[in-house]
Amino acid sequence: MFPNPTDSAASHADLLRRIAVAARAAGRQPRDVVLTAVSKQQPWQAIAPILATGQRVFGENRVQEAVSRWEGRRDGLELRLIGPLQTNKVREAVAFFDVIESLDRVRLAESLATETAGMARPPRLYIQVNTGEEVQKAGVAPREADSFIADCRDRLKLVIEGLMCIPPAAEPAGPHFALLAKIARRNGLAGLSMGMSGDFESAIAFGATAVRVGSALFGERAAHG
Ligand SMILES: *Cc1c(COP(=O)(O)O)cnc(C)c1O
């Protein structure tokens, strides 16, 4: 059922190697690309061996699930929220996550500004851009990104670290990565969270500073959720 620890260590090492190869091929340093291990829906038996390899950055897509999985076990780890955030969960999310990658609307930005005011170390923030303009997908539209970024910075005084996208499943991802990189560049944003199991090497070629890899590391997830 679960990958045994030897397999997990091997798949983690293989992933780091592929990231390094892709980075060098793009004239970049491997250390400039962070691997976010997406642990959502994974049983602890699958996560423990990845932790044992020294992996320290993990991604989760639900607040409640993340808290129940990582509470009491998160010393020295960086936890990133990569899934949608409801405004009624913002207080809990800012107290728990080191990074929130799904900032995608004005109300959420306002709520984040309120809840992080006075925090010594507020979570680092990424704005999600719906590069494919898919109706079912979260994220600000590409043409609204510049004004949204400016509103977050100028009016709400939020520090934005970068941008995040999830390209449409049925299209080549490259143009979406290129678009995200272009929006980041013209807004002076250094962080680019893009690329998943099937396309992280392409994302690195387009400048990803963090790739979010789940199934290529842990194996397939449980069927739902
Ligand atoms: C689940 C998820 C991933 C990981 O996807 P894989 O294809 O399993 O690597 C990456 N990003 C987000 C936002 C996700 O929800």
Side-chain angles (χ1 to χ4, degrees):
M1 279 266 298
F2 308 123
N4 73 42
T6 318
D7 291 349
S8 302
S11 68
H12 185 258
D14 184 57
L15 193 53
L16 290 183
R17 187 190 54 75
R18 288 172 62 191
I19 289 170
V21 168
R24 288 202 193 88
R28 307 177 56 208
Q29 294 296 322
R31 65 166 176 277
D32 294 336
V33 183
V34 170
L35 168 60
T36 301
V38 178
S39 46
K40 67 182 185 195
Q41 298 165 35
Q42 296 292 346
W44 190 251
Q45 296 95 307
I47 297 168
I50 300 297
L51 255 184
T53 66
Q55 174 67 32
R56 289 296 173 262
V57 182
F58 291 86
E60 291 282 348
N61 69 339
R62 291 175 184 212
V63 178
Q64 228 56 61
E65 184 188 330
V67 171
S68 62
R69 177 169 295 124
W70 292 105
E71 184 108 86
R73 293 166 152 159
R74 54 160 314 165
D75 254 22
L77 303 185
E78 178 176 303
L79 298 182
R80 296 181 162 221
L81 179 64
I82 61 174
L85 177 56
Q86 295 168 310
T87 40
N88 64 3
K89 300 246 174 75
V90 169
R91 184 165 300 179
E92 192 174 10
V94 303
F96 190 75
F97 287 98
D98 302 288
V99 181
I100 293 174
E101 300 198 5
S102 46
L103 171 49
D104 63 354
R105 59 198 191 280
V106 173
R107 258 200 79 209
L108 178 57
E110 290 172 345
S111 177
L112 284 164
T114 304
E115 297 296 342
T116 58
M119 270 180 96
R121 293 183 57 221
R124 291 143 50 203
L125 300 176
Y126 283 67
I127 290 169
Q128 183 173 352
V129 180
N130 187 359
T131 57
E133 306 199 48
E134 297 171 279
V135 287
Q136 80 283 9
K137 202 165 273 177
V140 300
R143 67 184 171 282
E144 288 160 7
D146 292 357
S147 62
F148 183 71
I149 293 164
D151 189 44
C152 288
R153 287 169 157 171
D154 302 341
R155 180 172 65 95
L156 299 171
K157 311 298 177 204
L158 292 171
V159 176
I160 306 299
E161 181 167 300
L163 303 178
M164 183 271 244
C165 76
I166 309 170
E171 290 178 28
H176 295 275
F177 297 150
L179 174 59
L180 197 72
K182 186 171 135 192
I183 297 170
R185 206 177 313 117
R186 70 178 180 234
N187 285 283
L189 292 168
L192 281 174
S193 172
M194 57 189 196
M196 318 201 312
S197 289
D199 54 21
F200 67 86
E201 283 141 325
S202 162
I204 290 168
F206 284 102
T209 59
V211 294
R212 309 179 305 269
V213 179
S215 44
L217 185 55
F218 294 104
E220 293 303 320
R221 288 177 288 275
H224 62 84

